[in-house]
CSV table of all heavy atoms in Angstrom, one decimal:
chain,number,residue,atom,x,y,z
A,4,MET,N,87.2,140.7,-143.1
A,4,MET,CA,86.3,140.2,-144.2
A,4,MET,C,86.7,138.8,-144.5
A,4,MET,O,87.8,138.4,-144.6
A,4,MET,CB,86.5,141.1,-145.4
A,4,MET,CG,85.5,140.7,-146.5
A,4,MET,SD,85.7,141.9,-147.9
A,4,MET,CE,84.8,141.1,-149.2
A,5,ALA,N,85.7,137.9,-144.6
A,5,ALA,CA,85.8,136.5,-144.9
A,5,ALA,C,86.3,136.3,-146.3
A,5,ALA,O,85.9,137.0,-147.2
A,5,ALA,CB,84.6,135.8,-144.6
A,6,ILE,N,87.2,135.3,-146.5
A,6,ILE,CA,87.7,134.9,-147.8
A,6,ILE,C,86.8,133.7,-148.2
A,6,ILE,O,86.6,132.8,-147.5
A,6,ILE,CB,89.1,134.5,-147.8
A,6,ILE,CG1,90.0,135.7,-147.3
A,6,ILE,CG2,89.6,134.0,-149.2
A,6,ILE,CD1,91.4,135.3,-147.2
A,7,PHE,N,86.3,133.8,-149.4
A,7,PHE,CA,85.4,132.7,-149.9
A,7,PHE,C,85.7,132.4,-151.4
A,7,PHE,O,86.3,133.3,-152.1
A,7,PHE,CB,83.9,133.1,-149.7
A,7,PHE,CG,83.6,134.4,-150.3
A,7,PHE,CD1,83.1,134.4,-151.6
A,7,PHE,CD2,83.6,135.5,-149.6
A,7,PHE,CE1,82.7,135.6,-152.2
A,7,PHE,CE2,83.3,136.7,-150.1
A,7,PHE,CZ,82.8,136.8,-151.4
A,8,PRO,N,85.2,131.3,-151.9
A,8,PRO,CA,85.5,131.0,-153.3
A,8,PRO,C,85.0,132.1,-154.2
A,8,PRO,O,83.9,132.5,-154.1
A,8,PRO,CB,84.7,129.6,-153.5
A,8,PRO,CG,84.7,129.0,-152.1
A,8,PRO,CD,84.5,130.2,-151.2
A,9,GLY,N,85.8,132.4,-155.2
A,9,GLY,CA,85.4,133.5,-156.2
A,9,GLY,C,84.8,132.8,-157.4
A,9,GLY,O,85.3,131.7,-157.8
A,10,ILE,N,83.8,133.4,-157.9
A,10,ILE,CA,83.1,132.8,-159.1
A,10,ILE,C,83.1,133.8,-160.2
A,10,ILE,O,82.7,134.9,-160.1
A,10,ILE,CB,81.7,132.4,-158.7
A,10,ILE,CG1,81.7,131.4,-157.6
A,10,ILE,CG2,80.9,131.8,-159.9
A,10,ILE,CD1,80.3,131.1,-156.9
A,11,ASP,N,83.5,133.3,-161.4
A,11,ASP,CA,83.6,134.2,-162.6
A,11,ASP,C,82.2,133.9,-163.3
A,11,ASP,O,82.0,132.8,-164.0
A,11,ASP,CB,84.7,133.7,-163.5
A,11,ASP,CG,84.9,134.6,-164.7
A,11,ASP,OD1,83.9,135.3,-165.0
A,11,ASP,OD2,85.9,134.5,-165.4
A,12,PRO,N,81.3,134.8,-163.3
A,12,PRO,CA,80.1,134.7,-164.0
A,12,PRO,C,80.1,134.5,-165.4
A,12,PRO,O,79.3,133.8,-166.1
A,12,PRO,CB,79.3,135.9,-163.6
A,12,PRO,CG,80.4,136.9,-163.3
A,12,PRO,CD,81.5,136.1,-162.7
A,13,ALA,N,81.2,134.9,-166.1
A,13,ALA,CA,81.4,134.7,-167.5
A,13,ALA,C,81.7,133.2,-167.8
A,13,ALA,O,81.4,132.8,-169.0
A,13,ALA,CB,82.6,135.5,-168.0
A,14,LYS,N,82.2,132.5,-166.8
A,14,LYS,CA,82.5,131.1,-167.1
A,14,LYS,C,81.4,130.1,-166.6
A,14,LYS,O,81.4,128.9,-167.0
A,14,LYS,CB,83.9,130.7,-166.5
A,14,LYS,CG,85.0,131.4,-167.1
A,14,LYS,CD,86.3,130.9,-166.4
A,14,LYS,CE,87.5,131.6,-167.0
A,14,LYS,NZ,88.8,131.2,-166.3
A,15,CYS,N,80.6,130.6,-165.7
A,15,CYS,CA,79.5,129.8,-165.1
A,15,CYS,C,78.4,129.5,-166.1
A,15,CYS,O,77.9,130.4,-166.6
A,15,CYS,CB,79.0,130.4,-163.9
A,15,CYS,SG,77.7,129.5,-163.1
A,16,ASN,N,78.1,128.2,-166.2
A,16,ASN,CA,76.9,127.8,-167.0
A,16,ASN,C,75.7,127.4,-166.3
A,16,ASN,O,74.7,127.0,-166.9
A,16,ASN,CB,77.3,126.6,-168.0
A,16,ASN,CG,77.7,125.4,-167.3
A,16,ASN,OD1,77.4,125.2,-166.1
A,16,ASN,ND2,78.3,124.4,-167.9
A,17,GLY,N,75.7,127.6,-165.0
A,17,GLY,CA,74.6,127.3,-164.1
A,17,GLY,C,74.2,125.9,-164.0
A,17,GLY,O,73.1,125.6,-163.6
A,18,CYS,N,75.2,125.0,-164.1
A,18,CYS,CA,75.0,123.6,-164.0
A,18,CYS,C,74.5,123.1,-162.5
A,18,CYS,O,73.8,122.2,-162.3
A,18,CYS,CB,76.2,122.8,-164.4
A,18,CYS,SG,77.6,122.9,-163.3
A,19,GLY,N,75.0,123.9,-161.5
A,19,GLY,CA,74.6,123.6,-160.2
A,19,GLY,C,75.4,122.6,-159.5
A,19,GLY,O,75.1,122.2,-158.3
A,20,LEU,N,76.4,122.0,-160.1
A,20,LEU,CA,77.3,121.0,-159.5
A,20,LEU,C,77.9,121.4,-158.2
A,20,LEU,O,77.9,120.7,-157.2
A,20,LEU,CB,78.3,120.5,-160.5
A,20,LEU,CG,77.9,119.5,-161.5
A,20,LEU,CD1,79.1,119.2,-162.4
A,20,LEU,CD2,77.5,118.2,-160.9
A,21,CYS,N,78.4,122.6,-158.2
A,21,CYS,CA,79.1,123.2,-157.0
A,21,CYS,C,78.1,123.3,-155.8
A,21,CYS,O,78.5,123.0,-154.7
A,21,CYS,CB,79.7,124.5,-157.4
A,21,CYS,SG,78.4,125.8,-157.9
A,22,VAL,N,76.9,123.7,-156.1
A,22,VAL,CA,75.9,123.8,-155.0
A,22,VAL,C,75.6,122.4,-154.5
A,22,VAL,O,75.4,122.3,-153.3
A,22,VAL,CB,74.6,124.4,-155.6
A,22,VAL,CG1,73.6,124.5,-154.5
A,22,VAL,CG2,74.9,125.8,-156.1
A,23,THR,N,75.6,121.4,-155.3
A,23,THR,CA,75.3,120.0,-154.9
A,23,THR,C,76.3,119.5,-154.0
A,23,THR,O,76.0,118.8,-153.0
A,23,THR,CB,75.1,119.1,-156.2
A,23,THR,OG1,74.1,119.7,-157.0
A,23,THR,CG2,74.8,117.7,-155.8
A,24,VAL,N,77.6,119.7,-154.3
A,24,VAL,CA,78.6,119.1,-153.5
A,24,VAL,C,79.0,119.8,-152.3
A,24,VAL,O,79.6,119.3,-151.3
A,24,VAL,CB,79.9,118.9,-154.3
A,24,VAL,CG1,79.7,118.0,-155.6
A,24,VAL,CG2,80.5,120.3,-154.8
A,25,CYS,N,78.6,121.1,-152.2
A,25,CYS,CA,78.9,121.8,-151.0
A,25,CYS,C,78.1,121.3,-149.8
A,25,CYS,O,76.9,121.4,-149.8
A,25,CYS,CB,78.6,123.3,-151.1
A,25,CYS,SG,79.1,124.3,-149.7
A,26,GLU,N,78.8,120.8,-148.8
A,26,GLU,CA,78.2,120.3,-147.6
A,26,GLU,C,77.9,121.3,-146.5
A,26,GLU,O,77.4,121.0,-145.5
A,26,GLU,CB,79.0,119.1,-147.0
A,26,GLU,CG,79.3,118.0,-148.0
A,26,GLU,CD,80.2,116.9,-147.5
A,26,GLU,OE1,80.9,117.2,-146.4
A,26,GLU,OE2,80.3,115.8,-148.0
A,27,ARG,N,78.4,122.6,-146.8
A,27,ARG,CA,78.2,123.6,-145.8
A,27,ARG,C,77.2,124.6,-146.1
A,27,ARG,O,77.1,125.6,-145.3
A,27,ARG,CB,79.6,124.3,-145.6
A,27,ARG,CG,80.7,123.3,-145.3
A,27,ARG,CD,80.7,122.8,-143.9
A,27,ARG,NE,81.0,123.9,-143.0
A,27,ARG,CZ,81.2,123.8,-141.7
A,27,ARG,NH1,81.1,122.6,-141.2
A,27,ARG,NH2,81.5,124.8,-141.0
A,28,GLY,N,76.5,124.5,-147.2
A,28,GLY,CA,75.5,125.5,-147.5
A,28,GLY,C,76.2,126.8,-147.9
A,28,GLY,O,75.6,127.9,-147.7
A,29,GLY,N,77.3,126.7,-148.5
A,29,GLY,CA,78.1,127.9,-148.7
A,29,GLY,C,77.8,128.5,-150.1
A,29,GLY,O,78.3,129.6,-150.4
A,30,LEU,N,77.1,127.8,-151.0
A,30,LEU,CA,76.8,128.3,-152.3
A,30,LEU,C,75.3,128.3,-152.6
A,30,LEU,O,74.6,127.4,-152.1
A,30,LEU,CB,77.5,127.5,-153.3
A,30,LEU,CG,79.0,127.5,-153.3
A,30,LEU,CD1,79.6,126.3,-154.1
A,30,LEU,CD2,79.6,128.8,-153.8
A,31,ILE,N,74.8,129.2,-153.4
A,31,ILE,CA,73.5,129.2,-153.8
A,31,ILE,C,73.3,129.6,-155.2
A,31,ILE,O,74.1,130.4,-155.7
A,31,ILE,CB,72.6,130.1,-152.9
A,31,ILE,CG1,71.1,130.0,-153.2
A,31,ILE,CG2,73.0,131.6,-153.1
A,31,ILE,CD1,70.2,130.7,-152.2
A,32,LEU,N,72.4,128.9,-156.0
A,32,LEU,CA,72.3,129.2,-157.4
A,32,LEU,C,71.3,130.4,-157.5
A,32,LEU,O,70.2,130.4,-156.9
A,32,LEU,CB,71.6,128.0,-158.1
A,32,LEU,CG,71.7,128.0,-159.6
A,32,LEU,CD1,73.2,128.0,-160.1
A,32,LEU,CD2,71.0,126.7,-160.1
A,33,VAL,N,71.8,131.5,-158.1
A,33,VAL,CA,71.0,132.7,-158.2
A,33,VAL,C,70.6,132.9,-159.7
A,33,VAL,O,70.8,132.0,-160.5
A,33,VAL,CB,71.7,133.9,-157.7
A,33,VAL,CG1,72.0,133.8,-156.2
A,33,VAL,CG2,73.0,134.1,-158.4
A,34,THR,N,70.1,134.0,-160.0
A,34,THR,CA,69.4,134.2,-161.3
A,34,THR,C,70.3,133.9,-162.4
A,34,THR,O,71.6,134.1,-162.4
A,34,THR,CB,69.0,135.7,-161.4
A,34,THR,OG1,70.2,136.6,-161.2
A,34,THR,CG2,67.9,136.1,-160.4
A,35,GLY,N,69.8,133.3,-163.5
A,35,GLY,CA,70.5,132.9,-164.7
A,35,GLY,C,71.6,131.9,-164.4
A,35,GLY,O,71.5,131.1,-163.5
A,36,PRO,N,72.6,132.0,-165.3
A,36,PRO,CA,73.6,131.0,-165.1
A,36,PRO,C,74.7,131.4,-164.1
A,36,PRO,O,75.8,130.8,-164.1
A,36,PRO,CB,74.2,131.0,-166.6
A,36,PRO,CG,74.0,132.5,-167.0
A,36,PRO,CD,72.7,132.9,-166.4
A,37,VAL,N,74.4,132.3,-163.3
A,37,VAL,CA,75.4,132.8,-162.4
A,37,VAL,C,75.3,132.3,-161.0
A,37,VAL,O,74.2,132.2,-160.5
A,37,VAL,CB,75.4,134.4,-162.3
A,37,VAL,CG1,76.5,134.8,-161.3
A,37,VAL,CG2,75.7,135.0,-163.7
A,38,VAL,N,76.3,131.7,-160.4
A,38,VAL,CA,76.3,131.3,-159.1
A,38,VAL,C,77.0,132.2,-158.1
A,38,VAL,O,78.1,132.7,-158.6
A,38,VAL,CB,76.9,129.8,-159.0
A,38,VAL,CG1,77.0,129.4,-157.6
A,38,VAL,CG2,76.1,128.8,-159.9
A,39,ALA,N,76.5,132.4,-157.0
A,39,ALA,CA,77.1,133.4,-156.1
A,39,ALA,C,77.5,132.6,-154.8
A,39,ALA,O,76.8,131.7,-154.4
A,39,ALA,CB,76.2,134.5,-155.7
A,40,ALA,N,78.6,133.0,-154.2
A,40,ALA,CA,79.0,132.4,-153.0
A,40,ALA,C,78.4,133.2,-151.9
A,40,ALA,O,78.5,134.4,-151.8
A,40,ALA,CB,80.5,132.4,-152.8
A,41,VAL,N,77.7,132.6,-151.0
A,41,VAL,CA,77.0,133.2,-149.9
A,41,VAL,C,77.2,132.5,-148.6
A,41,VAL,O,77.9,131.4,-148.6
A,41,VAL,CB,75.5,133.4,-150.1
A,41,VAL,CG1,75.2,134.3,-151.3
A,41,VAL,CG2,74.9,132.1,-150.3
A,42,GLU,N,76.7,133.0,-147.5
A,42,GLU,CA,76.9,132.3,-146.2
A,42,GLU,C,78.3,131.9,-146.0
A,42,GLU,O,78.6,130.8,-145.7
A,42,GLU,CB,76.0,131.1,-146.1
A,42,GLU,CG,74.5,131.5,-146.3
A,42,GLU,CD,73.6,130.3,-146.1
A,42,GLU,OE1,74.0,129.3,-145.5
A,42,GLU,OE2,72.5,130.3,-146.8
A,43,THR,N,79.2,132.8,-146.2
A,43,THR,CA,80.6,132.5,-146.1
A,43,THR,C,81.1,132.0,-144.8
A,43,THR,O,82.2,131.3,-144.8
A,43,THR,CB,81.4,133.8,-146.6
A,43,THR,OG1,81.1,134.8,-145.7
A,43,THR,CG2,81.1,134.2,-148.0
A,44,ALA,N,80.4,132.3,-143.8
A,44,ALA,CA,80.9,131.8,-142.5
A,44,ALA,C,80.8,130.3,-142.4
A,44,ALA,O,81.5,129.7,-141.6
A,44,ALA,CB,80.0,132.4,-141.3
A,45,ASN,N,80.0,129.7,-143.3
A,45,ASN,CA,79.8,128.2,-143.3
A,45,ASN,C,80.9,127.5,-144.2
A,45,ASN,O,80.9,126.3,-144.2
A,45,ASN,CB,78.4,127.8,-143.8
A,45,ASN,CG,77.4,128.2,-142.7
A,45,ASN,OD1,77.7,128.2,-141.5
A,45,ASN,ND2,76.2,128.4,-143.1
A,46,CYS,N,81.6,128.3,-144.9
A,46,CYS,CA,82.5,127.7,-145.9
A,46,CYS,C,83.8,127.2,-145.1
A,46,CYS,O,84.4,127.9,-144.3
A,46,CYS,CB,83.0,128.7,-146.9
A,46,CYS,SG,84.3,128.1,-148.0
A,47,ASP,N,84.1,125.9,-145.3
A,47,ASP,CA,85.3,125.4,-144.6
A,47,ASP,C,86.5,125.2,-145.6
A,47,ASP,O,87.4,124.5,-145.3
A,47,ASP,CB,85.0,124.0,-143.9
A,47,ASP,CG,84.6,122.9,-144.9
A,47,ASP,OD1,84.5,123.2,-146.1
A,47,ASP,OD2,84.2,121.9,-144.4
A,48,TRP,N,86.4,125.7,-146.8
A,48,TRP,CA,87.4,125.8,-147.7
A,48,TRP,C,87.8,124.3,-148.2
A,48,TRP,O,89.0,124.1,-148.4
A,48,TRP,CB,88.6,126.5,-147.2
A,48,TRP,CG,88.4,128.0,-146.9
A,48,TRP,CD1,87.2,128.6,-147.0
A,48,TRP,CD2,89.4,128.9,-146.3
A,48,TRP,NE1,87.4,129.9,-146.6
A,48,TRP,CE2,88.7,130.1,-146.2
A,48,TRP,CE3,90.6,128.9,-146.1
A,48,TRP,CZ2,89.2,131.2,-145.7
A,48,TRP,CZ3,91.3,129.9,-145.5
A,48,TRP,CH2,90.6,131.2,-145.4
A,49,CYS,N,86.9,123.5,-148.3
A,49,CYS,CA,87.2,122.1,-148.7
A,49,CYS,C,87.6,122.1,-150.2
A,49,CYS,O,88.2,121.1,-150.6
A,49,CYS,CB,85.9,121.2,-148.5
A,49,CYS,SG,84.5,121.6,-149.5
A,50,ALA,N,87.1,123.0,-151.0
A,50,ALA,CA,87.4,123.2,-152.4
A,50,ALA,C,86.7,122.1,-153.2
A,50,ALA,O,87.1,122.0,-154.4
A,50,ALA,CB,89.0,123.1,-152.6
A,51,TYR,N,85.8,121.5,-152.7
A,51,TYR,CA,85.0,120.6,-153.5
A,51,TYR,C,84.3,121.3,-154.7
A,51,TYR,O,84.3,120.8,-155.8
A,51,TYR,CB,83.9,119.9,-152.7
A,51,TYR,CG,84.3,118.9,-151.7
A,51,TYR,CD1,83.5,118.5,-150.7
A,51,TYR,CD2,85.6,118.4,-151.7
A,51,TYR,CE1,83.9,117.6,-149.7
A,51,TYR,CE2,86.0,117.5,-150.8
A,51,TYR,CZ,85.1,117.0,-149.8
A,51,TYR,OH,85.5,116.2,-148.9
A,52,CYS,N,83.9,122.5,-154.5
A,52,CYS,CA,83.2,123.2,-155.5
A,52,CYS,C,84.2,123.5,-156.6
A,52,CYS,O,83.8,123.5,-157.8
A,52,CYS,CB,82.6,124.5,-155.0
A,52,CYS,SG,83.8,125.6,-154.1
A,53,GLU,N,85.3,123.9,-156.3
A,53,GLU,CA,86.3,124.2,-157.3
A,53,GLU,C,86.7,122.9,-158.1
A,53,GLU,O,86.9,123.0,-159.4
A,53,GLU,CB,87.6,124.7,-156.6
A,53,GLU,CG,88.7,125.1,-157.7
A,53,GLU,CD,89.9,125.7,-156.9
A,53,GLU,OE1,90.3,125.2,-155.9
A,53,GLU,OE2,90.6,126.6,-157.5
A,54,THR,N,86.7,121.8,-157.4
A,54,THR,CA,87.1,120.5,-158.1
A,54,THR,C,86.1,120.1,-159.1
A,54,THR,O,86.4,119.7,-160.2
A,54,THR,CB,87.3,119.5,-157.0
A,54,THR,OG1,88.3,119.9,-156.1
A,54,THR,CG2,87.6,118.1,-157.7
A,55,VAL,N,84.8,120.3,-158.8
A,55,VAL,CA,83.7,119.7,-159.6
A,55,VAL,C,83.4,120.7,-160.8
A,55,VAL,O,82.7,120.3,-161.7
A,55,VAL,CB,82.4,119.4,-158.9
A,55,VAL,CG1,82.7,118.3,-157.9
A,55,VAL,CG2,81.7,120.6,-158.2
A,56,CYS,N,83.7,121.9,-160.6
A,56,CYS,CA,83.3,122.9,-161.7
A,56,CYS,C,84.1,122.6,-163.0
A,56,CYS,O,85.3,122.7,-163.0
A,56,CYS,CB,83.6,124.3,-161.2
A,56,CYS,SG,83.1,125.5,-162.5
A,57,GLU,N,83.4,122.3,-164.0
A,57,GLU,CA,84.0,121.8,-165.3
A,57,GLU,C,84.4,123.0,-166.2
A,57,GLU,O,85.1,122.8,-167.1
A,57,GLU,CB,83.0,120.9,-166.0
A,57,GLU,CG,82.7,119.6,-165.3
A,57,GLU,CD,81.7,118.7,-166.1
A,57,GLU,OE1,81.0,119.3,-167.0
A,57,GLU,OE2,81.5,117.5,-165.7
A,58,THR,N,83.9,124.2,-165.8
A,58,THR,CA,84.2,125.3,-166.7
A,58,THR,C,85.3,126.2,-166.0
A,58,THR,O,85.7,127.2,-166.7
A,58,THR,CB,83.0,126.2,-166.9
A,58,THR,OG1,82.6,126.8,-165.6
A,58,THR,CG2,81.8,125.4,-167.5
A,59,GLY,N,85.8,125.8,-164.8
A,59,GLY,CA,86.9,126.6,-164.2
A,59,GLY,C,86.3,127.9,-163.7
A,59,GLY,O,87.1,128.9,-163.5
A,60,ALA,N,85.0,128.0,-163.3
A,60,ALA,CA,84.4,129.2,-162.9
A,60,ALA,C,84.8,129.6,-161.5
A,60,ALA,O,84.7,130.7,-161.0
A,60,ALA,CB,82.9,129.2,-163.2
A,61,ILE,N,85.1,128.5,-160.7
A,61,ILE,CA,85.3,128.7,-159.2
A,61,ILE,C,86.8,128.6,-158.9
A,61,ILE,O,87.5,127.7,-159.3
A,61,ILE,CB,84.5,127.7,-158.4
A,61,ILE,CG1,83.0,127.9,-158.6
A,61,ILE,CG2,84.9,127.8,-156.9
A,61,ILE,CD1,82.2,127.1,-157.6
A,62,ARG,N,87.2,129.6,-158.1
A,62,ARG,CA,88.6,129.5,-157.8
A,62,ARG,C,88.6,129.8,-156.2
A,62,ARG,O,88.2,130.9,-155.8
A,62,ARG,CB,89.4,130.6,-158.4
A,62,ARG,CG,89.7,130.2,-159.9
A,62,ARG,CD,90.8,129.2,-160.0
A,62,ARG,NE,91.1,128.8,-161.3
A,62,ARG,CZ,90.5,127.8,-162.0
A,62,ARG,NH1,89.6,127.0,-161.3
A,62,ARG,NH2,90.9,127.5,-163.2
A,63,CYS,N,89.2,128.9,-155.5
A,63,CYS,CA,89.3,129.2,-154.0
A,63,CYS,C,90.6,130.0,-153.8
A,63,CYS,O,91.6,129.8,-154.5
A,63,CYS,CB,89.4,127.8,-153.3
A,63,CYS,SG,87.9,126.9,-153.3
A,64,ALA,N,90.5,130.9,-153.0
A,64,ALA,CA,91.5,131.9,-152.7
A,64,ALA,C,92.7,131.4,-151.9
A,64,ALA,O,93.1,132.1,-151.0
A,64,ALA,CB,91.0,133.1,-152.2
A,65,TYR,N,93.1,130.2,-152.1
A,65,TYR,CA,94.2,129.7,-151.4
A,65,TYR,C,94.8,128.5,-152.2
A,65,TYR,O,94.1,128.0,-153.1
A,65,TYR,CB,93.8,129.2,-150.0
A,65,TYR,CG,92.8,128.1,-150.0
A,65,TYR,CD1,93.1,126.8,-150.1
A,65,TYR,CD2,91.4,128.5,-150.0
A,65,TYR,CE1,92.1,125.8,-150.1
A,65,TYR,CE2,90.4,127.5,-150.1
A,65,TYR,CZ,90.8,126.2,-150.1
A,65,TYR,OH,89.8,125.3,-150.2
A,66,GLU,N,95.9,128.0,-151.8
A,66,GLU,CA,96.5,126.9,-152.5
A,66,GLU,C,96.8,125.8,-151.5
A,66,GLU,O,97.2,126.2,-150.3
A,66,GLU,CB,97.8,127.3,-153.2
A,66,GLU,CG,97.7,128.2,-154.3
A,66,GLU,CD,99.0,128.6,-155.0
A,66,GLU,OE1,99.9,127.7,-155.0
A,66,GLU,OE2,99.1,129.6,-155.6
A,67,ILE,N,96.7,124.6,-151.9
A,67,ILE,CA,97.1,123.5,-151.0
A,67,ILE,C,98.5,123.1,-151.4
A,67,ILE,O,98.8,122.7,-152.6
A,67,ILE,CB,96.1,122.3,-151.1
A,67,ILE,CG1,94.7,122.7,-150.7
A,67,ILE,CG2,96.6,121.1,-150.3
A,67,ILE,CD1,93.6,121.7,-150.9
A,68,VAL,N,99.4,123.1,-150.4
A,68,VAL,CA,100.8,122.7,-150.7
A,68,VAL,C,101.2,121.5,-150.0
A,68,VAL,O,101.0,121.3,-148.8
A,68,VAL,CB,101.7,123.9,-150.3
A,68,VAL,CG1,103.2,123.5,-150.5
A,68,VAL,CG2,101.3,125.2,-151.0
A,69,PHE,N,101.7,120.5,-150.8
A,69,PHE,CA,102.1,119.2,-150.3
A,69,PHE,C,103.6,119.3,-150.0
A,69,PHE,O,104.4,119.7,-150.9
A,69,PHE,CB,101.8,118.1,-151.2
A,69,PHE,CG,100.2,117.9,-151.4
A,69,PHE,CD1,99.6,118.4,-152.5
A,69,PHE,CD2,99.6,117.1,-150.5
A,69,PHE,CE1,98.3,118.2,-152.6
A,69,PHE,CE2,98.2,116.9,-150.6
A,69,PHE,CZ,97.5,117.5,-151.7
A,70,GLU,N,104.0,119.0,-148.8
A,70,GLU,CA,105.4,118.9,-148.5
A,70,GLU,C,105.9,117.5,-148.5
A,70,GLU,O,105.4,116.6,-147.9
A,70,GLU,CB,105.6,119.5,-147.1
A,70,GLU,CG,107.0,119.6,-146.6
A,70,GLU,CD,107.2,120.3,-145.3
A,70,GLU,OE1,106.3,121.1,-144.9
A,70,GLU,OE2,108.2,120.0,-144.6
A,71,VAL,N,106.9,117.3,-149.3
A,71,VAL,CA,107.6,116.0,-149.4
A,71,VAL,C,108.7,115.9,-148.4
A,71,VAL,O,109.6,116.7,-148.3
A,71,VAL,CB,108.2,115.8,-150.8
A,71,VAL,CG1,108.8,114.4,-150.9
A,71,VAL,CG2,107.1,116.0,-151.9
A,72,PRO,N,108.5,114.8,-147.5
A,72,PRO,CA,109.5,114.7,-146.4
A,72,PRO,C,110.8,114.3,-146.9
A,72,PRO,O,111.0,113.7,-148.0
A,72,PRO,CB,108.9,113.6,-145.6
A,72,PRO,CG,107.9,112.9,-146.5
A,72,PRO,CD,107.4,113.9,-147.5
B,118,SF4,S1,80.0,124.1,-161.0
B,118,SF4,FE1,80.9,125.8,-162.0
B,118,SF4,S2,79.6,126.1,-163.9
B,118,SF4,FE2,78.4,124.8,-162.5
B,118,SF4,S3,77.1,126.3,-161.4
B,118,SF4,FE3,79.0,126.0,-160.2
B,118,SF4,S4,80.3,127.7,-160.8
B,118,SF4,FE4,78.7,127.4,-162.4
B,119,SF4,S1,85.0,125.5,-150.6
B,119,SF4,FE1,83.8,123.8,-149.8
B,119,SF4,S2,82.5,124.6,-148.2
B,119,SF4,FE2,83.4,126.3,-149.3
B,119,SF4,S3,81.7,126.9,-150.8
B,119,SF4,FE3,83.1,125.4,-151.8
B,119,SF4,S4,82.3,123.3,-151.5
B,119,SF4,FE4,81.3,124.8,-150.0
């Protein structure tokens, strides 16, 4: 099963920013203020959607870890 960004409908205000920034067609605005992640095969986990979401409704299911040499 593919892992894709999780969206908390209780926090989503339907602004559509995440849909706008996704270059992979991985998100679609659905009924009301809720956004759903779809077409998960196209998601490259760039996390742009998580970054632009002002309400914290999107959480990518991974962490980026920077290693200090
Ligand atoms: S950016 Fe956040 S608040 Fe806006 S539509 Fe996407 S999930 Fe909802
Ligand atoms: S992580 Fe990137 S490719 Fe995946 S749904 Fe979000 S913006 Fe689109």
Side-chain angles (χ1 to χ4, degrees):
M4 184 174 171
I6 298 173
F7 53 90
I10 300 168
D11 182 348
K14 293 182 178 178
C15 175
N16 63 14
C18 70
L20 280 175
C21 56
V22 178
T23 301
V24 300
C25 181
E26 299 176 347
R27 305 285 292 185
L30 296 163
I31 187 170
L32 197 59
V33 294
T34 55
V37 179
V38 175
V41 296
E42 300 180 27
T43 56
N45 291 333
C46 175
D47 64 1
W48 300 358
C49 67
Y51 290 164
C52 56
E53 182 181 35
T54 301
V55 299
C56 182
E57 296 177 347
T58 66
I61 295 189
R62 286 287 179 265
C63 290
Y65 59 92
E66 293 182 26
I67 298 174
V68 178
F69 294 95
E70 182 176 337
V71 179

